[in-house]
Amino acid sequence: MYIANQNFARLPESYLFSEVARKIKEYKAASPHVDVIRMDIGDVSLPLPACVVEAMVKAAQEMGRSATFHGYGPEQGYPFLREAVAEYDYRARGIDCIEADDIFISDGAKSDLANLGDIFGQNLRPAVVTPAYPVYIDSNVLSGRGGTLQNGRWSGITYLPATPQHDFAPSLPAEGVSADVIYLCYPNNPTGAVITMERLRQWVEYARSHGALIIFDSAYEAYISTPGIPHSIYEVEGADEVAIEVRSFSKTAGFTGVRCGYTVVPRRLKFTFVDGTAANLNRMWSRRQCTKFNGVGYVVQRAAEALYTPEGREAIRENVGYYMRNAAMLRTTLLATGAEVSGGLDAPYVWFRPAEEGDSWTLFERMLHRHSISSTPGVGFGREGEGWLRLTGFNTEQLTIQACDRLRQP
Ligand code: PLP
């Protein structure tokens, strides 16, 4: 029986990380005396903050007593966490248009970024800034919006190249180019670029005038330190009628293994069904969650709530500061070697093209064999990434210092 989703067969094997791992293994086998420093890691190295652990222990103890046990919770998330997000991540930062009912607690940003496609029409055209975090494209391909693949481009997807000539800020789609659901990610993974307020305003204006929806992935907003750079798309007036925002506790508080984030689907979003009748995306997302998701665990949500206490916010500041010192160290070191560098200022990612050029896999091998440092080949994030490498600030300070010492060697 033809029961398998054919779109899985269309999607090329994602061999980026397995290939990186294979090459590192091969190199280690050939040079057992050297330690490879993993500067490609997308996972964090600092443990959970103490206040988070305390909240988890307390919540786990509640779960062990019948009087305080929690079974199925609300699919949208517990009010205590939705309220804390609305209060501290939005109202306290001057964004009044977002309320607890607009916020949906998730098990991390990745699944929501992929699953949001459930509430969009089948025949719309996604537009993706490239190079890109792979989920945006792959999830659309799996749900049948990819079309055919030729020369690394899906016919059903509009590509918005982010190039060094324009500080990795993509241009708005040209007149006549369709872009119905636009994926923007700032601070960006992998380029480490940020978006200016003026540019973000242009995107919101574009969406408003073209009937497009923006999905704003701000998983790294806590890494912004430059004043004036927007942390949320809702800092732009009117964005609550055209944008969904996706966030994560993974990289700010060590939640990569705990799994928690949230998605903002404002009740004021203005879209329609294909027949022109009004659609309420907030209600549709709620319905989608009730149908396919049973909510994030109570213990995990209490852990996330602890991040909104003074201790929690201080822990986030410390974590982000730690990783950003690493990223800044990498950036300075690479610039001194003559590389062209993006990121490492308001993002934990450092994206660079070494002075001695080559394609991404040649550069990867060269760095591995010369310095015993592993990186991520830029081409793995799309063809605009060819000739670039990505390093991250997520390793320990000690290993980052060692990596920088190695990078300074010829
Ligand atoms: N969005 C971007 C841009 C990311 O880089 C990542 C993780 O690396 C995610 C979302 C997913 O984060 P989470 O751990 O919350 O699923």
Side-chain angles (χ1 to χ4, degrees):
M1 291 295 280
Y2 307 125
I3 57 165
N5 177 351
Q6 192 65 36
N7 296 316
F8 278 79
R10 294 201 173 94
L11 200 62
E13 208 52 55
S14 165
Y15 69 103
L16 177 66
F17 293 103
S18 55
E19 193 60 8
V20 165
R22 192 185 64 77
K23 285 182 188 285
I24 294 172
K25 196 169 160 201
E26 243 177 49
Y27 173 67
K28 276 183 171 167
S31 323
H33 54 286
V34 287
D35 282 332
V36 174
I37 305 180
R38 299 292 304 255
M39 300 310 289
D40 57 311
I41 58 167
D43 205 345
V44 290
S45 51
L46 293 173
L48 290 174
C51 64
V52 166
V53 176
E54 276 164 32
M56 287 176 108
V57 169
K58 183 165 170 267
Q61 283 164 345
E62 283 180 52
M63 293 293 275
R65 289 190 294 268
S66 52
T68 48
F69 168 74
H70 286 77
Y72 289 125
E75 291 87 346
Q76 300 80 2
Y78 282 102
F80 63 77
L81 185 53
R82 298 175 90 192
E83 288 290 350
V85 170
E87 177 58 33
Y88 294 105
D89 287 348
Y90 293 99
R91 272 196 294 279
R93 296 183 187 185
I95 300 168
D96 292 326
C97 61
I98 301 302
E99 293 174 24
D101 287 347
D102 301 316
I103 290 154
F104 294 83
I105 306 304
S106 70
D107 61 352
K110 190 187 210 176
S111 33
D112 274 14
L113 283 164
N115 293 330
L116 278 166
D118 281 3
I119 62 168
F120 305 144
Q122 185 61 31
N123 297 321
L124 58 72
R125 196 171 171 89
V128 179
V129 175
T130 57
Y133 179 57
V135 176
Y136 317 135
I137 291 178
D138 289 2
S139 62
N140 275 292
V141 170
L142 290 181
S143 50
R145 299 190 191 92
T148 52
L149 181 63
Q150 265 180 346
N151 298 328
R153 293 290 207 230
W154 291 96
S155 62
I157 289 174
T158 294
Y159 290 80
L160 304 165
T163 56
Q165 290 78 14
H166 301 101
D167 290 333
F168 297 98
S171 304
L172 296 173
E175 242 0 277
V177 172
S178 315
D180 301 317
V181 173
I182 302 164
Y183 292 82
L184 297 180
C185 170
Y186 292 100
N188 188 266
N189 175 16
T191 65
V194 288
I195 193 163
T196 61
M197 194 61 179
E198 189 195 346
R199 207 79 184 119
L200 191 57
R201 221 175 256 131
Q202 290 170 1
W203 279 102
V204 170
E205 199 37 57
Y206 175 90
R208 292 177 66 88
S209 57
H210 289 73
L213 173 85
I214 296 173
I215 298 185
F216 194 68
D217 181 348
S218 58
Y220 299 99
E221 65 80 24
Y223 285 84
I224 297 171
S225 61
T226 302
I229 298 293
H231 288 242
S232 164
I233 195 164
Y234 305 118
E235 289 177 39
V236 179
E237 210 178 317
D240 57 329
E241 292 183 357
V242 292
I244 288 174
E245 182 158 279
V246 180
R247 290 202 180 164
S248 167
F249 300 111
S250 284
K251 306 294 167 65
T252 50
F255 271 50
T256 50
V258 175
R259 308 304 308 143
C260 196
Y262 61 85
T263 294
V264 187
V265 187
R267 283 159 303 164
R268 269 190 292 275
L269 284 173
K270 284 208 168 74
F271 292 93
T272 63
F273 293 104
V274 72
D275 64 3
T277 55
N280 182 331
L281 292 189
N282 173 281
R283 213 176 293 145
M284 287 164 66
W285 182 245
S286 185
R287 176 65 198 268
R288 187 268 169 211
Q289 295 296 77
C290 292
T291 305
K292 296 194 178 182
F293 184 59
N294 253 340
V296 178
Y298 175 73
V299 174
V300 168
Q301 291 194 59
R302 282 292 184 202
E305 183 194 24
L307 295 171
Y308 293 97
T309 60
E311 299 77 31
R313 279 180 290 165
E314 182 52 29
I316 289 179
R317 263 193 299 279
E318 280 173 17
N319 276 12
V320 167
Y322 179 91
Y323 296 132
M324 281 312 297
R325 281 192 295 281
N326 289 346
M329 216 182 329
L330 289 165
R331 179 185 165 89
T332 312
T333 307
L334 289 166
L335 282 170
T337 66
E340 188 179 351
V341 184
S342 163
L345 293 173
D346 291 297
Y349 295 109
V350 181
W351 178 250
F352 71 104
R353 185 154 59 181
E356 200 180 330
E357 293 188 7
D359 64 57
S360 289
W361 281 106
T362 306
L363 296 175
F364 167 87
E365 298 251 8
R366 200 184 289 153
M367 181 167 282
L368 183 62
H369 288 260
R370 234 181 240 173
H371 302 298
S372 302
I373 293 174
S374 66
S375 56
T376 309
V379 70
F381 300 98
R383 73 182 195 201
E384 283 72 20
E386 184 58 280
W388 292 78
L389 291 175
R390 189 194 74 174
L391 300 184
T392 83
F394 290 129
N395 211 325
T396 62
E397 182 181 21
Q398 195 194 6
L399 286 172
T400 307
I401 291 172
Q402 273 183 39
C404 289
D405 287 343
R406 290 184 189 182
L407 287 169
R408 284 189 208 99
Q409 308 302 316

